[in-house]
Amino acid sequence: MRMEGENWVYEVRGIPDEFFQRSEGIPMTKREIRIISLSDLRIRPGMRVMDIGCGSGSMTVEISNIIGENGSVTGLDVSGEAADLTMRNCRNLCRFSNYRIVISDVYKYDSDEEFDAVFVGGGTARIHDLFERIERMVHHASRVVVNAIQIHTAYLSLEEMNTRGYSGVNITQVMVSNGMRTSEGYAMIARNPVFIISGDAP
Ligand SMILES: C[S@@+](CC[C@H](N)C(=O)[O-])C[C@H]1O[C@@H](n2cnc3c(N)ncnc32)[C@H](O)[C@@H]1O
């Protein structure tokens, strides 16, 4: 769905979920989680951002629209199908050509590129190795934000940030319920809680 002429979409932080193309088996970061994660990333125009495990591309799209023409965002995913979906969503919903999609396992990704912020939406199977990779991507005070569903992923992310000397390390648990229409009114349907871990690289 291309929102021709509807520039308001690009002013919104937290594009409505239904604007994104979806694919079965590729989980999407939901709007409420994106909004808090974008805030924690402290995204602003001109930033260079890495989106690890870009999935549907919903975060890549949001980041692209905020960083503007002088910024750049790299969406990285091990799945070709996810990269394809991210590309489609970027073509439909990004206002600038400031995005790049890479198909790669983050653990094998090697590049000299430096980022001002790194968002981790997937690829958290080996947290220690992941932070080793991230270390090569960041500079002093780059923002790093991890979304985690599992408690141990959240715990290990906190451990990595603290032992590596990150500053301002923080964790937020977000529990969202969305209304579902019933015959009598609305029932609140709970989504899985998500941990958002953030900090400044040393
Ligand atoms: C929960 S989804 C991410 C959702 C995404 N943030 C969005 O906005 O739709 C996790 C993604 O991480 C990817 N992933 C898992 N392991 C990975 C790895 N080792 N390297 C790169 N991507 C990986 C998966 O293919 C999947 O698309």
Side-chain angles (χ1 to χ4, degrees):
M1 174 175 36
R2 173 94 202 166
M3 305 304 290
E4 287 295 352
E6 299 205 35
N7 281 336
W8 65 270
V9 168
Y10 309 117
E11 306 305 325
V12 170
R13 306 288 186 265
I15 295 171
D17 285 343
E18 56 271 28
F19 285 13
F20 292 93
Q21 286 185 25
R22 303 287 299 275
S23 182
E24 218 174 300
I26 303 178
M28 183 174 83
T29 304
K30 301 298 180 302
R31 183 179 62 104
E32 296 83 357
I33 306 299
R34 288 200 304 275
I35 293 169
I36 297 171
S37 298
L38 288 164
S39 168
D40 277 346
L41 279 165
R42 300 185 188 154
I43 292 291
R44 55 190 182 279
M47 270 180 129
R48 301 160 298 167
V49 187
M50 164 59 87
D51 179 9
I52 298 173
C54 56
S56 70
S58 74
M59 277 297 283
T60 309
V61 167
E62 302 265 17
I63 292 165
S64 162
N65 287 330
I66 299 168
I67 58 178
E69 58 192 353
N70 295 324
S72 63
V73 55
T74 302
L76 179 136
D77 206 293
V78 70
S79 150
E81 198 191 340
D84 211 49
L85 183 61
T86 293
M87 185 54 87
R88 272 183 280 141
N89 278 317
C90 283
R91 286 201 179 119
N92 284 342
L93 295 165
C94 286
R95 190 178 181 184
F96 307 98
S97 308
N98 56 4
Y99 55 84
R100 185 170 73 103
I101 316 302
V102 177
I103 303 174
S104 171
D105 183 333
V106 65
Y107 300 104
K108 295 183 182 148
Y109 182 71
D110 216 4
S111 157
D112 291 339
E113 223 178 328
E114 204 176 58
F115 299 96
D116 307 309
V118 174
F119 174 71
V120 180
T124 53
R126 289 157 32 209
I127 291 290
H128 180 73
D129 295 343
L130 179 65
F131 271 85
E132 287 286 301
R133 289 278 152 186
I134 291 173
E135 199 149 292
R136 293 185 218 161
M137 300 178 185
V138 295
H139 54 76
H140 171 66
S142 290
R143 288 294 290 173
V144 178
V145 173
V146 179
N147 278 185
I149 304 290
Q150 304 196 64
I151 297 168
H152 71 274
T153 308
Y155 171 76
L156 291 174
S157 299
L158 281 173
E159 282 280 292
E160 286 293 332
M161 285 191 181
N162 282 318
T163 52
R164 285 169 192 273
Y166 278 54
S167 54
V169 176
N170 192 25
I171 179 165
T172 305
Q173 188 189 30
V174 186
M175 284 170 278
V176 175
S177 299
N178 295 114
M180 186 190 72
R181 187 87 210 218
T182 68
S183 55
E184 292 159 22
Y186 286 88
M188 299 312 292
I189 306 299
R191 292 188 188 278
N192 289 337
V194 177
F195 298 100
I196 302 174
I197 304 97
S198 60
D200 285 327

